[in-house]
Structure formats: structure tokens, C-alpha cells
């Protein structure tokens, strides 16, 4: 049996680049069952669809599985699967992920080269499919899949969620696992989330299969994986990609225990996680910092209380600001999830959001241009459908802004501020490098980074204000933004980009020379 699991090419400016742990968990499950797997992540390997097709065609595979993490990936999978069939590849081709789990009927209809969908958690299902193929059994009887039968979609019984995450083998790693080429690795220590934010597909993904909404690995199991990555792969930093790392009192105690175990084992590593703003507690985060915590990603989402309430975040603007202050006062680096644009956004709310970003020094291209994504199975999808605002373009779900001024602001920010995305990425890279310096050496480097971040805030604040001022005029007799306006903003953007890029590049080189 020859098996390949594939992550197709995707836009690394739109989505975070990094290894696909879901794919690698499935590869590990197959390996533990005696089925070696080739993992091909196109974005990490730097290959396009044509090269991916060449490698898959030459591999002589019996089963090929594609991960569809985003709607946009469906087009690449359609072209790749179609090319494989045209090349005479007879392998069982399956797809998995959030998107196909919910919208398997549509997906099977537009991906004629695909045989089946693996729904929800895939470890046990891919092993069962491989075993069915090996034993020449009918793979259509395997639980946890969907497929077409005579043009009609069929589903087999949904598998329950994995009860004990400690029984799942560690994900397969290789030379592409290093995040951005650094000694930095991704981990997942829990699965699921008990909260019900309207835009998030995670609660729905873990709701249909039987099992608890939030499950956790034991502290020992997590640190065993960290130890293995340190010993075998030279890891120095970790990002925990849990949907919600801190859940309730038990989740917070588990985090304390994790920090203590890292220290007890003598692991000299830094780590990061994602959480809600109402999870941030100074005493807890201080103890986590003592165990190696260096970076926190906060799901803030908005600086407008109306929007937070509409998202059912169950947090306040003040909680968001307070969480940012606490993280910074503890000397931890910070990242934020922020949604600038949602269906009911007004120009005034865009200004409020921009003021919040400026006041808290969290401006970024991503934050300024982030439009809420519509995922299947979410309350947002149901609400937009009810209001007649949902647009369907194949697998992609989207909406239009009722206010043309907001629509213009979205388009202009994405177009004109894009060159500053490079600056954002360099600032994140610099923060990572500084986080891994000895504490005594961090001060001077951090001072340079803070100066650069002030420059980023100033640039974004000025440019955002100009764009919103011009878009506000669209409701009056004045002309909408034209070529002269675009040219003047572009010139300012390029000037700021050049200066900030030079500063941050020099900082990264300087930090690297000391490590």
C-alpha cells in the first residue's frame, strides 16, 4: 500500500503558512497501523500544482488524501484531482477538513475526480479506508465518510470523537515542519471549544460527532512530545494551536502544571498559545511566563461593543484593552485576532476600530483588512441566509456590504496597504528572534522593535484615516477615490515600507548574530 496525504498550494499572504497538523496526525495514525505515508505540503515544499501532479503521478499511490482547510483550496484540489485522473491515476482520492465535513454534497458535485469525503476527525477513518483497500473490502461501508452513489450523496454513520487524546500518535514531522525555517514547531494540546462565537466553525465541527466539546491531552503527553521535538529535531520554540487553550478552572490549572513540568524536565524552550481576552489573569500568566511562555495571541475580534455582542463573544472592549495591557506589562509579545469588517459595519465603526488599534498599538495589515469569513455550520451562515445576504460562489461563502462606502474602504485598504504586509511579517519574525534571546540581551533589541512598531502604528493610522476620510465623501457630491488619491497613498506606503523594512531586517540580522 502506498499512501500520500496532501496539502494543496494556497495563498500564504491570505493564510498563515505552516505545517498542517491535522494531515500529519492522520499520517501518524496510518503509520502506527503499518501504512507508511508520504506527506506533501505544497506551500512548504515550494511547489505548484503542476509539480504536485507530477510527484503524485510518479508515486504509484493506492490512496491519496487532500486536506481542504479553506474554501479557496477546493479549486486547487479540483485541478489536481482532475489532472491525476487524466494521467490515469486509479488511486482512491479522498478529501477532509472542516469545509468538506459540512458541505460534502456540494464538494462531491464539483470535484469529479474525488471518490469520498472523510468527515470530522479523520485518524480512525483513514486507517479504515486503507485497510479496506488492502483487504479488497468495500470502502463505501467505512464509517465517517460521504460519497456519491448514482449521482446521489450517501453518508455512513459519523464516528464519535476520540475519547482519549493521549492514545493518538504524535504527528509526523519532517524538514518542512520548522515554522519559517526556525527551530519553531506547532503543537495541539486540546481539541474543541465550549464557546459559541457566531463566526466560528469549531463548535459545529465538534458538535455532530458524539463526545465532549473540549478535550485535553495530559500534561505528561504534551511535554513528552515537546521533549521528543527538542531531542530529535532541535526545537527551541513551540506554538500551541489549540482553538481554546484555557478553558475554565481546570484548563488554567492544567496550564500551570504544564509550565511546571517544562521547568521540571529542564527544557530550555519558549512557547505561545491562543486564548480569549477574559482568560488573561496576571498571576496565572506570570507563572506561565516563568515556565517559558513568551507570546500570547488574543482573540479580540473588535473594538466595538455592538460587534462583540453580535459575535456572541461574551467579552467587552475594556476586557480586550485590559488583556493587552497585562500581556505587555508582563513582558510577553502579543498577537491579536481582529475582524475589521462584518456585514453590518459602518464607516463610524471602522473609525472606532482604527482608534482602538492605534490606542493599543496593534495595527497590522491583517487586522485592518480582515473581513469576517463565512464558514459552514456557523450561526453567521444561518443569519446571512435568513437575511438574504449570503453569496455562494461554488464552495465559497461570502457577502456584500450594504454600505458602498464600507465596500470602498475594504477594497482600498486591501489594495493600497498590501506592501505593508511585508513589514508585519518582519516585525513578527523579529519578535520571535528576540523572545529566544537570553533575558539579559532582550532589552536593547526590544527597544528597537518597539520603535519600529511605533512607526508601523503611525503609518497605518495616517493611511487609514486618509482612506476613511475619502470613502466618507462617497455619500456626498464629491468624486469617489480616483487615480490621484491612489497614487498619493501608494507613495506614502512605499516610503514607510522601505524605511521600516530596513530597520527590521537589520534588527533580525543583529539578533541572529548573537545566537
Amino acid at each position: 500500500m502506498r499512501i500520500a496525504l496532501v496539502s494543496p498550494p494556497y495563498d500564504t499572504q491570505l493564510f498563515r503558512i505552516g505545517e498542517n497538523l491535522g494531515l500529519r496526525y492522520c499520517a501518524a495514525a496510518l503509520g502506527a497501523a503499518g501504512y507508511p505515508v508520504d506527506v506533501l505540503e505544497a506551500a512548504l515544499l515550494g511547489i505548484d500544482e503542476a509539480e504536485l501532479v507530477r510527484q503524485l503521478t510518479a508515486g504509484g499511490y493506492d490512496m491519496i488524501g487532500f486536506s481542504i482547510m479553506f474554501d479557496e483550496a477546493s479549486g486547487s484540489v479540483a485541478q489536481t484531482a482532475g489532472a491525476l485522473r487524466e494521467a490515469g491515476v486509479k488511486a482512491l482520492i479522498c478529501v477532509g477538513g472542516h469545509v468538506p465535513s459540512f458541505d460534502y454534497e456540494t464538494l462531491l458535485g464539483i470535484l469529479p475526480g474525488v471518490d469520498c469525503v472523510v468527515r470530522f476527525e479523520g485518524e480512525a477513518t483513514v486507517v479504515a479506508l486503507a485497510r479496506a483497500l488492502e483487504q479488497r473490502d468495500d470502502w463505501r461501508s467505512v464509517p465517517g465518510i460521504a460519497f456519491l452513489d448514482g449521482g446521489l450523496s450517501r453518508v455512513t454513520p459519523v464516528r464519535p470523537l476520540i475519547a482519549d487524546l493521549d492514545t493518538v500518535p504524535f504527528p509526523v514531522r519532517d524538514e518542512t515542519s520548522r515554522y519559517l525555517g526556525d527551530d519553531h514547531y506547532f503543537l495541539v494540546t486540546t481539541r474543541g471549544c465550549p464557546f459559541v462565537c457566531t463566526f466560528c466553525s469549531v463548535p459545529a465541527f465538534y458538535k455532530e460527532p458524539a463526545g465532549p466539546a473540549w478535550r485535553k491531552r495530559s500534561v505528561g503527553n504534551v511535554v513528552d512530545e515537546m521533549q521528543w521535538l527538542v531531542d530529535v529535531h532541535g526545537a527551541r520554540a513551540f506554538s500551541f494551536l489549540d482553538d481554546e487553550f484555557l478553558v475554565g478552572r481546570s484548563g488554567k490549572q492544567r496550564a500551570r502544571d504544564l509550565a511546571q513540568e517544562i521547568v521540571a524536565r529542564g527544557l530550555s524552550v519558549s512557547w505561545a498559545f491562543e486564548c480569549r481576552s477574559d482568560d488573561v489573569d496576571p498571576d496565572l500568566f506570570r507563572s506561565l511566563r516563568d515556565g517559558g511562555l513568551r507570546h500570547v495571541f488574543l482573540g479580540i475580534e473588535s473594538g466595538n461593543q455592538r460587534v462583540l455582542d453580535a459575535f456572541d463573544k461574551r467579552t467587552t472592549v475594556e476586557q480586550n484593552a485590559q488583556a493587552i495591557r497585562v500581556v505587555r506589562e508582563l513582558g510577553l509579545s502579543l498577537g491579536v485576532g481582529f475582524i475589521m469588517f462584518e456585514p453590518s459595519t459602518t464607516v463610524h465603526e471602522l473609525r472606532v476600530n482604527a482608534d482602538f488599534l492605534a490606542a493599543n498599538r496593534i495595527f497590522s495589515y491583517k487586522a485592518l483588512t480582515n473581513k469576517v469569513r463565512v464558514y459552514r455550520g456557523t450561526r453567521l451562515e444561518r443569519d446571512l441566509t435568513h437575511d438574504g445576504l449570503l453569496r455562494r460562489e461554488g464552495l465559497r461563502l461570502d457577502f456584500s456590504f450594504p454600505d458602498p462606502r464600507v465596500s470602498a474602504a475594504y477594497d482600498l485598504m486591501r489594495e493600497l496597504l498590501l506592501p505593508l504586509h511585508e513589514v508585519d511579517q518582519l516585525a513578527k519574525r523579529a519578535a520571535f528572534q528576540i523572545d529566544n534571546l537570553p533575558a539579559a540581551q532582550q532589552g536593547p533589541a526590544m527597544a528597537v522593535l518597539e520603535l519600529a512598531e511605533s512607526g508601523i502604528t503611525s503609518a497605518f493610522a495616517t493611511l487609514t484615516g486618509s482612506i476613511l476620510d475619502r470613502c466618507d465623501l462617497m455619500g456626498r457630491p464629491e468624486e469617489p477615490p480616483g487615480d490621484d488619491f491612489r497614487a498619493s497613498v501608494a507613495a506614502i506606503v512605499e516610503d514607510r515600507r522601505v524605511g521600516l523594512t530596513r530597520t527590521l531586517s537589520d534588527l533580525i540580522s543583529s539578533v541572529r548574530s548573537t545566537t
Side-chain angles (χ1 to χ4, degrees):
M1 281 287 294
R2 288 187 55 78
I3 300 172
L5 296 183
V6 182
S7 178
Y10 60 86
D11 185 347
T12 57
Q13 289 194 332
L14 187 60
F15 301 105
R16 174 173 54 191
I17 188 170
E19 62 181 342
N20 183 327
L21 286 182
L23 200 71
R24 291 170 181 269
Y25 267 115
C26 287
L30 284 161
Y35 301 108
V37 179
D38 291 334
V39 176
L40 301 175
E41 296 209 56
L44 302 186
L45 292 169
I47 61 176
D48 58 15
E49 289 170 9
E51 176 59 19
L52 182 60
V53 169
R54 189 195 68 77
Q55 292 190 25
L56 291 173
T57 302
Y61 296 108
D62 303 287
M63 179 170 130
I64 300 173
F66 289 92
S67 171
I68 298 182
M69 296 178 65
F70 328 106
D71 294 338
E72 289 83 354
S74 60
S76 178
V77 172
Q79 293 181 28
T80 303
L84 291 173
R85 294 306 190 203
E86 290 178 5
V89 172
K90 304 297 184 186
L92 177 76
I93 298 181
C94 54
V95 297
H98 281 221
V99 173
S101 291
F102 291 121
D103 208 3
Y104 56 86
E105 189 167 10
T106 300
L107 188 142
L108 288 168
I110 66 173
L111 301 180
V114 170
D115 296 300
C116 69
V117 169
V118 174
R119 302 186 68 211
F120 307 110
E121 289 185 333
E123 288 91 343
T125 301
V126 294
V127 170
L129 284 170
R131 187 167 292 127
L133 290 176
E134 182 183 46
Q135 298 175 357
R136 300 185 184 279
D137 291 337
D138 183 7
W139 59 263
R140 294 170 183 81
S141 64
V142 168
I145 66 171
F147 57 92
L148 289 182
D149 181 11
L152 299 176
S153 62
R154 306 289 187 192
V155 293
T156 59
V158 174
R159 289 181 184 273
L161 297 172
I162 299 169
D164 182 0
L165 295 181
D166 283 4
T167 64
V168 181
F170 298 157
V172 168
R173 308 289 184 156
D174 56 34
E175 66 278 1
T176 67
S177 297
R178 292 154 53 95
Y179 179 53
L180 297 178
D182 293 315
D183 299 326
H184 183 178
Y185 290 80
F186 292 167
L187 274 81
V188 171
T189 80
T190 66
R191 294 188 186 185
C193 178
F195 296 97
V196 289
C197 301
T198 61
F199 56 84
C200 184
S201 66
V202 170
F205 187 82
Y206 292 107
K207 181 179 180 180
E208 186 171 340
W214 187 72
R215 293 156 295 148
K216 58 184 181 293
R217 296 166 59 187
S218 68
V219 166
N221 182 257
V222 173
V223 183
D224 282 348
E225 184 179 2
M226 296 173 72
Q227 181 86 60
W228 172 69
L229 287 167
V230 169
D231 294 343
V232 177
H233 295 277
R236 294 189 303 124
F238 300 95
S239 288
F240 299 143
L241 301 187
D242 303 31
D243 297 309
E244 173 55 26
F245 186 73
L246 302 170
V247 172
R249 192 170 297 173
S250 67
K252 293 175 175 61
Q253 183 58 50
R254 174 178 172 273
R256 290 182 190 271
D257 294 342
L258 178 68
Q260 291 170 2
E261 182 65 14
I262 290 171
V263 173
R265 295 205 195 182
L267 293 180
S268 180
V269 297
S270 64
W271 45 283
F273 63 77
E274 305 179 14
C275 68
R276 294 163 53 89
S277 61
D278 54 356
D279 286 329
V280 177
D281 172 79
D283 291 337
L284 170 64
F285 277 52
R286 191 173 294 111
S287 68
L288 301 184
R289 181 194 62 187
D290 294 342
L293 177 65
R294 292 294 179 267
H295 178 84
V296 178
F297 184 93
L298 295 174
I300 284 174
E301 317 311 352
S302 183
N304 284 281
Q305 193 59 50
R306 180 198 69 78
V307 176
L308 292 175
D309 294 342
F311 285 162
D312 203 6
K313 280 292 295 184
R314 305 177 190 182
T315 55
T316 66
V317 173
E318 178 51 38
Q319 282 178 314
N320 287 343
Q322 175 66 14
I324 292 170
R325 285 195 292 271
V326 169
V327 169
R328 285 199 170 123
E329 286 170 0
L330 290 173
L332 302 171
S333 62
L334 173 71
V336 300
F338 201 86
I339 300 173
M340 189 76 166
F341 295 88
E342 54 89 33
S344 302
T345 297
T346 66
V347 174
H348 171 70
E349 288 175 335
L350 292 177
R351 293 185 185 280
V352 171
N353 268 342
D355 289 344
F356 181 87
L357 293 171
N360 291 282
R361 295 183 290 115
I362 52 175
F363 264 120
S364 70
Y365 176 77
K366 177 74 173 181
L368 276 172
T369 61
N370 198 19
K371 177 183 179 182
V372 65
R373 295 182 64 82
V374 186
Y375 293 109
R376 283 159 188 77
T378 61
R379 198 186 331 166
L380 177 62
E381 179 198 15
R382 294 193 294 274
D383 290 346
L384 290 172
T385 300
H386 178 270
D387 296 339
L389 298 176
L390 189 68
R391 277 202 336 257
R392 296 181 182 271
E393 301 166 357
L395 276 182
R396 180 165 170 72
L397 304 180
D398 202 355
F399 62 89
S400 298
F401 298 107
D403 187 338
R405 297 173 301 170
V406 173
S407 182
Y410 176 66
D411 291 339
L412 285 169
M413 286 183 183
R414 291 180 68 208
E415 172 195 346
L416 298 178
L417 302 182
L418 178 59
L420 293 178
H421 180 61
E422 176 188 356
V423 175
D424 291 339
Q425 298 304 103
L426 284 172
K428 291 178 182 177
R429 194 74 177 272
F432 170 75
Q433 299 287 346
I434 294 170
D435 286 344
N436 287 282
L437 283 175
Q441 299 178 19
Q442 290 183 2
M446 187 57 71
V448 176
L449 178 59
E450 289 176 353
L451 184 63
E453 288 177 338
S454 295
I456 292 171
T457 295
S458 173
F460 275 127
T462 299
L463 295 163
T464 301
S466 297
I467 290 172
L468 292 178
D469 286 346
R470 197 56 183 262
C471 290
D472 222 2
L473 297 177
M474 292 180 63
R476 304 169 193 166
E478 288 85 352
E479 293 182 1
D483 291 341
D484 290 345
F485 175 76
R486 283 181 164 82
S488 65
V489 171
I492 297 172
V493 167
E494 181 60 13
D495 178 68
R496 300 294 181 92
R497 184 195 68 79
V498 169
L500 289 167
T501 296
R502 184 184 303 113
T503 298
L504 290 166
S505 296
D506 289 347
L507 173 61
I508 292 170
S509 297
S510 174
V511 171
R512 277 183 167 170
S513 69
T514 65
T515 58

